[in-house]
Amino acid sequence: MNLLLLILTPLLTAVAVLLMRNATQVRWVSFIGAAVQLVLAFALFFAFRNERMAGNTAEMLFQIQYNWFPAWHISFHLGVDGISIAMILLTAFVVIAGVLVSWNVEKMTKEFYFLLILLSLGAYGFFISLDLFILFFFLEIAVIPKYLLIGIWGSGKKEYSANKLALMLMGGSALVLVGLLGIYFNAPEKTFDLLTLSKSYIPAEVQQICFPLLFVGFGVFTALFPFHTWVPDGHSSAPTAGSMFLAGISMKLGGYGCLRVATYILHDAAKDYSTIIIVLSVIAILYGAFATMMQKDLKYINAYSSVSHCGFVLLGIGMMTKTSMTGAVMQMVSHGLMTALFFAVIGMIYERTHTRQVNEMGGLLKRMPFIGTVLFIVGLCSLGLPGLSGFVAEMTVFMGSWERPDTFSRVATILSCLSLVVTAVYILRAITKTAMGPLKEQFATLTDARWNEKLAAIILVVGIIAIGTAPFWLNDLINPATEIIKQHLMIPTPID
Amino acid sequence: MLTIMKSELLVTAIIFLLLFVKLGKGMKNESMLLLIQVLLLLNFIAGFFFNTEGILFDGMYQSTSMIVLQKNILNLGVYLISLLFSSWFKRSEHMPEFFMLMLSALLGMFFLISSGNLLMFFLALELSTIPVAAMANFDLDKKRSSEAAMKMILTSAFSSGILLFGISLIYGATGTISFSELPQHLDGTPLQVLAFVFLFAAFAFKLSIVPFHLWTADVYEGAPMATTSFLSVISKGAVAFIFISTLYKVFQPMQGTWYNMVMILSIATMIIGNLFALRQQNIKRFLAFSSIAQVGFILVGISSGAKEGLSSVVYFILIYIFSNLAAFGVATAIESQTGKENIDDCKGLYQTNPFLSWVLALALFSLAGIPPTAGFFGKLFLLTAGASTGSYFFITIAALNMIISLYYYLRVIRAVFMDKNEQPVEKIKIDLSAKLGLTICAAGIVLVGLLSWIYDYIQ
């Protein structure tokens, strides 16, 4: 299967959106484009499985490579392994749901959908690139659409949030850039190629400098403590689809980068910094959970809980066992689907009640059975109920972390387990106050979800339940890839 | 000989043609402008053919394929200026004179890039500066325009004095003024370093490197927009080309000395340019400080000292011409119809002028270095070239400066796309040639980055 399709489909969709005449055409073109992306993602998934079943054990499949700026040893090199495919599936799910949820956007519809599709283009490109330069290129492509989405269609203090998000993310990518240049000039041969770099020896002192640059740089995207401050502001100000894309896709760019670029290439330094990563991620998990307790606004609740949940991703990467890294990737997928759904539901509620304050709502389940039910599903997924994706992913991270026998890791694991209790408290409180209890008078005439909202929610719920009930599909997909990363980490550090 | 000096001869021919047309007095401004645009386009196209390398006048004048390419990049910029500012040109009473002055300055720049010894270099630099001062004075009824011209003349006279002093010291220290012989005589004695510092200061004046940048904002603000864009794009480009070849070829033996100077001044230029740009309201002053910051980035590329440095700088300047001219083109379209030139006046521009807004957004994103615009590739290659010396502290500062610059470019974007305005600028009529110019710029901003063969061609 040709991976260029994954880039060309959003590109063509974006161009087609610009050519459309009215809002209805724009919506349908975007929807068709997103549906094609979903089909492509599944086709890729099955093609990948077939190749693996047929015994193809190459590290990256479906590789294509074109020369691009040969003077700088840059090539347009694409390829996928299990981790990339998991992320691509996630992206496709979130994109189609986001397109459906935004059906009612009336203000500058064409520009809105154009930016959404552009963002998805950046994400697809990022997940399939095997050349660090184009990886960086796609990473930055995904930043500006977010800025405009929040700044133009957002609510509340949107200018402040948009600026904060754009500057912090660009700051992160500036660190990534310096780290990449450090690798480029100090590797035995000058190249940006991921596969070549992962096999070559990069001097230990260079790794010591470049690893923190890369990890923190990517970490900013995935709410690494203390660089998480853009998350609550950005998410709460963004329009519904914007929040979905931010939490569902964009934060995953960072996690993927931490794992695929920082940990994979600079494996010696990764082991040295493991302790710091674990400490920071445990702080993020606990801090995020406790901060959520204090929130009254549904979007802030989900945003702070995202900080906590993304902490598990970094914890899984920091623990550096095979199971914990698999768990980290599963947590990325699970959290992506879950928060996207959560934000979608919050958007639907807000559109009807015009409030996001938990205290002002009540009894919504009576008037809106569908939306209320989905709210319960996503809440239970967030607090880790077995049978839904959150449980599987967090459980895998914990099991992986427990494989490390030292006291420090044990303590860290136990501490982060404690956050589950806090999560249960705030989630249950939020959803019961919103959906249960007596129905307030002013909400007596509310209507339930429309077809587009139902479809979006169903697509994401199917994803969550599928992972929750049949995790082995995802597990089998990711495991060989994390195995390779683990083997890299096992290579003993050469002594100069 | 004819083909070696082809670029200069063509420009001279156009100047004379304009002189005759002007004396004939038979032509209207519109048709004359069309004639000039066609001539400049032909001039640009001719730049791709009959290129020969060679040395003339006993080494005073040299031409290589790289030099021809650099000249042609400047030709392209001048052609774009003739398109973008058409509405201003049509209103101007002295349009042919403006072009004669501009082309004379361009001629000076060609000789500057081709110069093979310090005497030629000095003459060419004067020829490329003095007409620009006259161009700055072209809004004849505005006081600020004269003020700008006065400041320009005074500062450039001062920098010429310093340059001459430096040249005489170099001659005294080495006994030669030829670029090809100088490297053998340079060994870094204190006298030579002193002479080099004077020379460097003259370059710094022309490129408005901090702390020699003080004239820039005032001149940019006072001069007519066409002159401002010529100053910030073409004349910066030309001086950067000769600066880099002087450093790399002539002062190659003193690389250790100039590397430190370039690095320190680059950091100062980026930081000060960026910090001052943060607070500007007037869009010309804003672009003035942003162009100072861009020069800081060019210095990052120059600091590399290898052939990657040269090619990345030439590539960046090509992109910079497209991006900056697009920004000036939009600003002039707004200014010529409404007389407004503040950033706040652009609020809500997108509601009434989507085309102008998108071009402005592309231009500013390119200046800020955001993909997929070409500016991303330009900046990245400058930083990569700069990183080849292994000074990561320097590169980190440059990368962080990209974020500061993003902040103020986003400020304009925010005004255009997000801020609400009860009375946005009315729908602006753009004439055909300005539209063509903006479209070429936008296409350049998108394509120069994505099509990698353009970079290979430069190399």
Side-chain angles (χ1 to χ4, degrees):
Chain A
M1 192 176 150
N2 196 332
L3 288 178
L4 273 182
L5 283 175
L6 278 176
I7 298 178
L8 288 178
T9 317
L11 192 65
L12 290 178
T13 318
V15 174
V17 161
L18 283 185
L19 296 177
M20 289 301 122
R21 285 166 192 279
N22 61 41
T24 321
Q25 287 177 346
V26 167
R27 288 180 192 123
W28 280 105
V29 166
S30 317
F31 177 67
I32 292 167
V36 173
Q37 287 175 20
L38 190 64
V39 171
L40 277 177
F42 271 104
L44 182 66
F45 171 65
F46 286 114
F48 185 83
R49 267 178 76 91
N50 288 340
E51 285 282 320
R52 280 279 188 253
M53 300 254 191
N56 189 342
T57 53
E59 192 179 344
M60 296 285 172
L61 296 186
F62 311 118
Q63 291 189 33
I64 25 179
Q65 192 161 11
Y66 303 101
N67 268 340
W68 208 39
F69 296 106
W72 296 105
H73 311 96
I74 294 165
S75 63
F76 202 82
H77 189 181
L78 305 176
V80 285
D81 67 353
I83 302 178
S84 326
I85 296 209
M87 304 316 292
I88 287 165
L89 279 169
L90 165 70
T91 312
F93 268 88
V94 176
V95 169
I96 194 162
V99 165
L100 282 169
V101 163
S102 322
W103 213 259
N104 299 334
V105 172
E106 296 294 342
K107 181 183 172 190
M108 300 201 261
T109 318
K110 189 190 279 186
E111 289 83 353
F112 184 83
Y113 278 101
F114 175 73
L115 291 173
L116 278 189
I117 307 279
L118 197 64
L119 216 171
S120 72
L121 168 72
Y124 283 118
F126 182 84
F127 291 134
I128 57 177
S129 38
L130 289 185
D131 183 281
L132 295 179
F133 181 87
I134 56 168
L135 182 113
F136 183 71
F137 173 75
F138 284 118
L139 179 72
E140 290 221 327
I141 281 194
V143 172
I144 288 303
K146 290 177 223 166
Y147 172 79
L148 292 171
L149 280 172
I150 296 176
I152 301 179
W153 291 272
S155 56
K157 42 175 186 170
K158 54 182 183 176
E159 279 94 3
Y160 168 78
S161 310
N163 255 335
K164 190 172 181 179
L165 173 134
L167 294 177
M168 284 192 74
L169 294 189
M170 289 312 262
S173 56
L175 296 181
V176 170
L177 171 63
V178 178
L180 292 184
L181 291 180
I183 295 178
Y184 175 72
F185 281 108
N186 289 296
E189 64 178 302
K190 278 188 189 173
T191 175
F192 281 111
D193 195 84
L194 193 100
L195 293 178
T196 320
L197 282 172
S198 71
K199 289 181 185 64
S200 50
Y201 170 67
I202 297 162
E205 59 275 15
V206 177
Q207 294 205 18
Q208 296 289 343
I209 297 169
C210 290
F211 182 81
L213 287 171
L214 284 172
F215 201 90
V216 172
F218 284 119
V220 174
F221 281 78
T222 190
L224 171 73
F225 184 86
F227 306 101
H228 64 282
T229 52
W230 63 270
V231 177
D233 291 319
H235 285 74
S236 59
S237 304
T240 304
S243 309
M244 291 169 70
F245 274 48
L246 258 182
I249 303 174
S250 167
M251 286 175 81
K252 307 302 169 280
L253 301 180
Y256 181 86
C258 285
L259 187 63
R260 172 57 47 78
V261 181
T263 312
Y264 184 42
I265 297 181
L266 305 172
H267 38 81
D268 292 343
K271 279 179 285 190
D272 300 342
Y273 281 99
S274 148
T275 317
I276 301 176
I277 301 171
I278 293 172
V279 170
L280 288 179
S281 52
V282 171
I283 294 177
I285 291 171
L286 291 176
Y287 165 83
F290 280 107
T292 321
M293 293 271 283
M294 303 306 295
Q295 303 303 321
K296 304 264 185 299
D297 182 313
L298 275 175
K299 269 199 167 179
Y300 271 102
I301 290 179
N302 197 19
Y304 273 106
S305 82
S306 286
V307 174
S308 175
H309 283 124
C310 279
F312 286 110
V313 176
L314 292 171
L315 180 72
I317 296 172
M319 286 290 182
M320 290 171 195
T321 66
K322 183 184 145 197
T323 320
S324 76
M325 286 189 290
T326 310
V329 179
M330 290 175 85
Q331 171 74 352
M332 281 199 264
V333 178
S334 152
H335 175 256
L337 294 172
M338 182 182 83
T339 25
L341 182 56
F342 210 148
F343 276 121
V345 176
I346 296 172
M348 294 174 205
I349 294 176
Y350 178 73
E351 202 190 309
R352 291 168 174 78
T353 61
H354 301 290
T355 178
R356 292 195 309 244
Q357 300 299 320
V358 174
N359 294 334
E360 294 172 16
M361 289 185 258
L364 295 182
L365 192 59
K366 293 194 183 76
R367 287 300 308 168
M368 307 188 283
F370 183 83
I371 296 179
T373 315
V374 176
L375 184 66
F376 266 97
I377 294 175
V378 73
L380 295 176
C381 176
S382 178
L383 61 79
L385 188 80
L388 298 172
S389 66
F391 170 76
V392 176
E394 280 167 20
M395 204 56 208
T396 319
V397 173
F398 289 140
M399 279 162 56
S401 310
W402 205 256
E403 283 174 11
R404 299 234 310 204
D406 54 311
T407 323
F408 169 74
S409 317
R410 287 279 149 89
V411 172
T413 315
I414 293 169
L415 279 177
S416 36
C417 280
L418 287 180
S419 81
L420 292 184
V421 184
V422 187
T423 312
V425 173
Y426 65 72
I427 287 288
L428 288 176
R429 200 171 60 184
I431 56 175
T432 45
K433 272 194 176 175
T434 318
M436 313 288 243
L439 182 68
K440 298 242 167 104
E441 271 176 35
Q442 68 265 36
F443 300 139
T445 55
L446 297 183
T447 50
D448 205 2
R450 284 178 298 273
W451 70 269
N452 56 315
E453 293 167 334
K454 281 186 179 160
L455 187 55
I458 288 170
I459 288 172
L460 291 173
V461 168
V462 166
I464 288 175
I465 295 180
I467 297 174
T469 47
F472 42 86
W473 278 55
L474 198 58
N475 212 0
D476 292 350
L477 187 67
I478 300 167
N479 252 333
T482 42
E483 174 71 39
I484 292 172
I485 298 179
K486 180 64 196 165
Q487 279 167 5
H488 264 83
L489 286 164
M490 301 278 275
I491 302 169
T493 316
I495 298 153
D496 307 290
Chain B
M1 178 182 145
L2 278 178
T3 51
I4 295 176
M5 289 185 73
K6 175 198 63 176
S7 326
E8 286 80 359
L9 291 173
L10 274 174
V11 170
T12 319
I14 297 178
I15 295 176
F16 274 105
L17 197 67
L18 285 181
L19 200 60
F20 291 131
V21 172
K22 169 74 186 169
L23 289 177
K25 276 186 184 172
M27 264 174 135
K28 279 189 184 155
N29 257 4
E30 278 85 5
S31 41
M32 179 111 75
L33 185 63
L34 190 66
L35 172 73
I36 292 172
Q37 284 165 353
V38 171
L39 285 174
L40 288 175
L41 178 63
L42 290 177
N43 182 30
F44 169 63
I45 293 170
F48 290 104
F49 303 103
F50 307 114
N51 292 328
T52 29
E53 305 195 348
I55 295 175
L56 289 176
F57 310 126
D58 208 12
M60 265 187 129
Y61 178 97
Q62 54 185 347
S63 180
T64 63
S65 56
M66 186 52 134
I67 286 176
V68 173
L69 177 69
Q70 290 172 345
K71 287 175 184 170
N72 217 22
I73 289 176
L74 301 182
N75 273 334
L76 174 67
V78 171
Y79 170 62
L80 286 174
I81 287 181
S82 78
L83 289 176
L84 287 171
F85 299 92
S86 56
S87 59
W88 184 76
F89 288 136
K90 280 177 197 163
R91 275 184 285 128
S92 166
E93 287 170 38
H94 305 280
M95 190 192 65
E97 285 94 327
F98 187 87
F99 276 101
M100 276 183 250
L101 287 170
M102 187 157 82
L103 291 174
S104 315
L106 186 69
L107 188 64
M109 286 163 195
F110 286 175
F111 279 114
L112 186 69
I113 300 173
S114 282
S115 58
N117 78 24
L118 284 168
L119 209 59
M120 181 73 167
F121 169 75
F122 179 73
L123 278 174
L125 198 66
E126 289 301 286
L127 179 56
S128 72
T129 314
I130 294 169
V132 182
M135 281 157 67
N137 199 8
F138 238 73
D139 269 341
L140 293 172
D141 47 347
K142 282 190 190 153
K143 251 189 184 165
R144 302 186 94 160
S145 183
S146 324
E147 185 195 324
M150 201 65 206
K151 276 189 177 146
M152 171 104 207
I153 275 286
L154 285 178
T155 48
S156 58
F158 187 60
S159 77
S160 301
I162 290 179
L163 176 63
L164 270 184
F165 194 35
I167 290 177
S168 60
L169 282 182
I170 285 183
Y171 185 61
T174 61
T176 175
I177 51 169
S178 154
F179 281 176
S180 53
E181 289 170 24
L182 265 171
Q184 293 122 44
H185 299 282
L186 288 174
D187 43 18
T189 58
L191 184 62
Q192 288 171 2
V193 174
L194 185 69
F196 174 69
V197 169
F198 280 126
L199 211 65
F200 196 102
F203 277 119
F205 261 113
K206 301 287 174 204
L207 282 172
S208 49
I209 294 170
V210 172
F212 306 97
H213 66 289
L214 295 163
W215 59 277
T216 318
D218 290 342
V219 172
Y220 278 28
E221 190 187 4
M225 203 84 91
T227 313
T228 309
S229 58
F230 182 80
L231 256 178
S232 82
V233 175
I234 315 287
S235 115
K236 284 253 168 76
V239 179
F241 290 147
I242 183 69
F243 184 47
I244 193 169
S245 67
T246 322
L247 286 184
Y248 284 18
K249 293 200 185 110
V250 183
F251 289 97
Q252 208 272 329
M254 292 164 71
Q255 193 179 355
T257 316
W258 65 251
Y259 175 75
N260 288 328
M261 287 168 71
V262 168
M263 180 170 86
I264 293 165
L265 290 182
S266 161
I267 292 174
T269 309
M270 283 186 289
I271 291 178
I272 296 202
N274 275 331
L275 292 184
F276 275 83
L278 286 177
R279 307 283 304 166
Q280 298 305 321
Q281 260 307 317
N282 182 294
I283 208 157
K284 277 153 113 186
R285 284 185 84 86
F286 167 78
L287 286 170
F289 282 107
S290 105
S291 80
I292 291 177
Q294 302 283 348
V295 169
F297 286 107
I298 293 178
L299 288 182
V300 176
I302 291 180
S303 78
S304 116
K307 80 173 198 310
E308 288 92 28
L310 176 65
S311 55
S312 67
V313 169
V314 174
Y315 183 63
F316 183 80
I317 284 175
L318 174 65
I319 294 161
Y320 179 64
I321 284 181
F322 283 124
S323 330
N324 225 18
L325 281 183
F328 273 115
V330 174
T332 196
I334 297 169
E335 192 239 24
S336 68
Q337 185 155 347
T338 63
K340 292 173 178 170
E341 48 180 48
N342 276 350
I343 294 177
D344 280 346
D345 298 327
C346 296
K347 277 186 180 171
L349 183 72
Y350 186 65
Q351 298 160 23
T352 45
N353 297 288
F355 174 71
L356 285 181
S357 305
W358 280 119
V359 174
L360 185 64
L362 267 181
L364 294 178
F365 283 143
S366 177
L367 287 172
I370 306 282
T373 59
F376 169 78
F377 297 93
K379 279 237 168 100
L380 217 62
F381 294 159
L382 284 181
L383 293 191
T384 314
S388 64
T389 55
S391 174
Y392 294 103
F393 167 72
F394 185 24
I395 300 306
T396 313
I397 290 191
L400 292 177
N401 263 293
M402 279 175 74
I403 305 166
I404 308 182
S405 71
L406 180 68
Y407 176 80
Y408 57 76
Y409 292 123
L410 284 183
R411 207 162 65 97
V412 183
I413 300 283
R414 193 168 87 188
V416 170
F417 285 89
M418 298 175 194
D419 287 344
K420 288 198 179 66
N421 194 349
E422 295 303 312
Q423 292 161 314
V425 183
E426 70 259 39
K427 175 92 187 123
I428 289 167
K429 285 190 216 84
I430 327 164
D431 59 8
L432 197 66
S433 66
K435 211 166 206 169
L436 177 66
L438 287 175
T439 314
I440 294 175
C441 286
I445 289 171
V446 176
L447 294 180
V448 172
L450 296 177
L451 303 176
S452 65
W453 56 263
I454 295 179
Y455 185 79
D456 295 335
Y457 180 77
I458 288 172
Q459 257 210 332

